[in-house]
Amino acid sequence: MSVPGVSAYLRLPPGDRESSPWTGFTRAHWEAAADGLVRAAWRWATPGGALLDLPGRPSRSGVRSDGLEGYARTFLAAAFRVAGAGGADPYGLLGRYADGLAAGTRAPGREDAESWPLILDHHVRGQPMVESASVALGLRLTRPWLWDRLDDGVRDRAEEWLRGALRHLPAPNNWYLFPLTVAGFLESVGRGDAGTRRAVERGLDLLEGWYRGDGWYADGDGRAFDHYNGWALHLYPVLHAHLGGDAALLGVYGPRLREHLEGLSLLFGGDGAPVHFGRSLTYRFAAGAAVGLGAVTGYSPLAPGVSRRLLSGCLRYFLERGAVDARDGLLTPGWHGPHEASLQAYSGPASPYWASKAFVALLAPADDPLWTAREAAAPVEDGADRVLALPAPGLLVQTTAADGVARLHNHGSDHVHPAQGDTAGAHDVLYGRFAYSTRTGPTSAANPADNLLSVEVGGVASVRCRIRPLGAGHGDGWGWAASWHRPVFAAGPPMVPGLCASSVTVARGRYELRAHRVVGLPRGARVRLSGWATGPDEPLVSQLRGLYGWEVPDAEEVRAPQGTAFTRWAVLPRLSTAPSGGGTAVLVALASLTAGPDAAPLAGVAEVVRGSAERADGEVVEVRWAADGSVTRIAFTAGTCAPGVSVTHAP
């Protein structure tokens, strides 16, 4: 099958538009993709096969750890592929991994050509603990064809290396699921003990404390909600229970996965892209791992044809946009192709291979409905616009069927460590903006910010770090979410005493009503609100119009030359005002992002009602929509920071 820009290493079969009318992809395409990605990476293996030293910029953990990462993450893809095929291994991949396991564990920690680094505490080059989970899960999945055929000496050495994950300190987040996964494997092969039991109990106890509701876990004790929910916080415990046949655990974690998929399924665009939000986005189609896991375990609200549509759409989206290098067949560090701004300091050349988690779908056998049912429309393209509020994580999902765009309005996820205060050093463009989508990415920190309310004091613009949710809800065709934050500054004093902003997003159709109440403004401060960043060659229209409180209703166009993950150069609309004398400002605007070729202007779509007793120049905003005359009412209760907010919408 010819997919533009895809390396010949993948050797994809012809497409099948009869069974897969949207993507043409079948189970054979998934097997071919797994085989091709693994085989291409093995060209860079050390002679003994213990390390896969892929070319590229090393991570902060160092080259040896990166080589282990190459081994472990590709092993996970090979394991899902072989286990799902009942042991069929047409390229003899498991034999290579068996050799690499023997070589890597012969003298861990030694500086030679093959030895794996030791597993230490997370702050002491702890990346090998992450990779231990992929090694353990791969061994558990392929036990009859790999582990059971090893000699006792190799098994003993592998156990000793893996036990480093049980003896050392994980990072205070999803990392606690790595020792759990290692312990689960050791127990499955009769090597359990008090240490493995402690690792499992500790991981599950922490996970319980991180569960917030709506199918969402916080990634640690703070408020980090992102794709790690699907590819880690659901994946590891559900697989642990599923592979172990633990019905009691599945009875707890399975329903949470099902509920998570209610919202996650709306975060894939009609083109297959997942919403561009949160860290580690170079893992790309791993965003579909929870969809595959739900289909494999039966804990999914989605019809099998819908699940395959989401999974294959996501895989194909990245394959045809340069995620795999056309020459070498390697997954590149980035989003579409290589993209430095999509990476974190812990990202190395093999980091993208956590995308292997999407191949969990291959655990569903060939005769499973996931593969035999006809592809069906994804939720974003089934003919209806959707708005879904997720109060627990503080997120608002908005999709439009006409263009297949999914948007995520963020009023609750900030990835700020719970011990960290409101400082600009905690700012992260992948969390701090008010909105994200499947067609746009945030601008860089060095360029004008998209989708942000900022306060400019003394020429320095504020950023949004810690986010305090104020609630979320939805009705028939509309929804809202609200939060407040303290604007913080990278230069000068970190914050202005008493300065804070309460913000509400109301989504309806393609429109986003954005209302903000800023208190404590110093004299001379300027407030700016920006919209979506788009590129000149993209068939996207970004609109922003002031409805109340802005100097002029028409937004200026601002340039972001560093672009986004979707375009190398971008522009964005921006409103501004400088309230006379400072104090409190209530500001209202209407925004829109659409791929429609003839997007009508926002003028006349909605207006602030100013004739009632409670006027917009106080604590209440009332907005009338021209299409049907309905009124949205946003009330900020009295107070300074952390006020209550109520939102209603009625004919």
Side-chain angles (χ1 to χ4, degrees), residues 366-388:
D367 60 356
D368 189 273
L370 177 65
W371 306 113
T372 60
R374 197 167 190 263
E375 269 187 352
V380 75
E381 58 194 357
D382 67 358
D385 295 343
R386 304 279 190 89
V387 182
L388 175 67

Side-chain angles (χ1 to χ4, degrees), residues 458-477:
V460 180
S462 70
V463 292
R464 178 179 181 238
C465 297
R466 187 176 293 284
I467 301 169
R468 287 87 164 175
L470 292 173
H474 59 256
D476 185 14

Side-chain angles (χ1 to χ4, degrees), residues 19 21-22 303-310 373-378 381:
S19 67
W22 272 269
V306 175
S307 292
R308 191 166 87 255
R309 164 71 181 101
L310 293 175
R374 197 167 190 263
E375 269 187 352
E381 58 194 357

Side-chain angles (χ1 to χ4, degrees), residues 102 407 482 503:
R407 307 157 190 82
S503 303

Side-chain angles (χ1 to χ4, degrees), residues 510-532:
R510 72 175 172 96
Y511 302 114
E512 308 155 35
L513 181 67
R514 302 181 180 185
H516 304 272
R517 177 179 179 267
V518 188
V519 302
L521 284 165
R523 186 181 299 273
R526 177 164 290 276
V527 184
R528 302 186 190 275
L529 176 68
S530 55
W532 298 91

Side-chain angles (χ1 to χ4, degrees), residues 285-600:
F285 46 87
V291 177
L293 183 64
V296 167
T297 61
Y299 287 99
S300 177
L302 307 173
V306 175
S307 292
R308 191 166 87 255
R309 164 71 181 101
L310 293 175
L311 286 163
S312 293
C314 190
L315 177 62
R316 178 162 185 152
Y317 174 85
F318 287 108
L319 293 186
E320 65 185 7
R321 286 171 174 78
V324 178
D325 182 83
R327 180 186 63 183
D328 293 326
L330 299 175
L331 282 171
T332 58
W335 181 245
H336 289 164
H339 185 245
E340 186 75 16
S342 293
L343 308 179
Q344 283 71 45
Y346 56 76
S347 301
S351 291
Y353 285 83
W354 241 32
S356 297
K357 293 182 174 186
F359 294 110
V360 68
L362 288 174
L363 294 183
D367 60 356
D368 189 273
L370 177 65
W371 306 113
T372 60
R374 197 167 190 263
E375 269 187 352
V380 75
E381 58 194 357
D382 67 358
D385 295 343
R386 304 279 190 89
V387 182
L388 175 67
L390 299 168
L395 305 176
L396 181 67
V397 184
Q398 174 191 20
T399 69
T400 43
D403 54 14
V405 177
R407 307 157 190 82
L408 181 67
H409 302 285
N410 180 26
H411 287 273
S413 179
D414 56 24
H415 196 241
V416 176
H417 191 280
Q420 194 169 16
D422 284 296
T423 63
H427 174 58
D428 189 332
V429 301
L430 296 169
Y431 297 90
R433 308 294 165 79
F434 278 97
Y436 299 84
S437 85
T438 55
R439 295 289 297 271
T440 65
T443 57
S444 76
N447 279 193
D450 64 292
N451 288 318
L452 184 67
L453 179 87
S454 65
V455 179
E456 190 174 291
V457 178
V460 180
S462 70
V463 292
R464 178 179 181 238
C465 297
R466 187 176 293 284
I467 301 169
R468 287 87 164 175
L470 292 173
H474 59 256
D476 185 14
W478 74 284
W480 67 277
S483 62
W484 73 276
H485 74 279
R486 298 183 188 278
V488 294
F489 302 85
M495 64 180 67
V496 174
L499 176 64
C500 62
S502 302
S503 303
V504 179
T505 300
V506 177
R508 190 173 187 231
R510 72 175 172 96
Y511 302 114
E512 308 155 35
L513 181 67
R514 302 181 180 185
H516 304 272
R517 177 179 179 267
V518 188
V519 302
L521 284 165
R523 186 181 299 273
R526 177 164 290 276
V527 184
R528 302 186 190 275
L529 176 68
S530 55
W532 298 91
T534 60
D537 300 323
E538 296 180 298
L540 292 169
V541 178
S542 171
Q543 299 170 312
L544 182 66
R545 182 172 179 80
L547 299 184
Y548 183 82
W550 304 102
E551 290 176 348
V552 294
D554 296 324
E556 63 176 337
E557 184 178 270
V558 181
R559 299 184 172 201
Q562 199 171 351
T564 72
F566 294 79
T567 177
R568 65 191 183 99
W569 190 90
V571 296
L572 52 101
R574 191 172 69 182
L575 297 166
S576 69
T577 187
S580 176
T584 298
V586 174
L587 306 166
V588 188
L590 193 64
S592 170
L593 173 72
T594 179
D598 301 311

